[in-house]
Amino acid sequence: MGQAPKREHNLHIFGGFTMADDIDAEHGLCILTHSRTIQGSWTSIRPRGRDGCQWWMLAAHDAREEFTGDLYTAATDLAEVSPAPLPQLIAATDPANVQRWQLRDRKPLKQWSQGRVTLAGDAAHPTSPYAAYGADMAAEDGYFIGRTGMVPSS
């Protein structure tokens, strides 16, 4: 992809995690919610044998304007339109465990293969860091590359 220009989506995400055990969030789920202008999601996680939840909130943001607000407060405000337990998960999150990133990507390559080499995932079609699209597309690419029967044997 080299120096291909980044495409701004004029969206940003606030994300975080909590290991709080006093929130009624069913384990083994990944829930996506949205209003007309805001998306939110939470997923149960289990690092090192402990149950917890990771979450994110997505909203419009003009990429030309610097974000100067407080990450935790912005996420809390966005979650006001979300159903439980998303607001409670954010409230239980240590502000140090909240991050923000802007969504952008690059145009995909026109050709992904040459000879016995095929690019997959973000190397061929870089995606914005949103809802694990890069990882999902890499797995999908691998599936379809494998179905062609042209995978070199080891």
Side-chain angles (χ1 to χ4, degrees), residues 67-89:
F67 176 80
T68 58
D70 176 73
L71 302 180
Y72 181 81
T73 301
T76 300
D77 291 347
L78 289 172
E80 288 178 354
V81 300
S82 300
L86 192 48
Q88 292 79 13
L89 292 170

Side-chain angles (χ1 to χ4, degrees), residues 32-55:
L32 175 67
T33 66
H34 61 86
S35 69
R36 290 182 54 116
T37 58
I38 299 170
Q39 286 185 355
S41 179
W42 66 270
T43 306
S44 61
I45 57 175
R46 189 165 172 80
R48 299 184 183 127
R50 269 186 81 199
D51 290 326
C53 290
Q54 63 183 5
W55 56 266

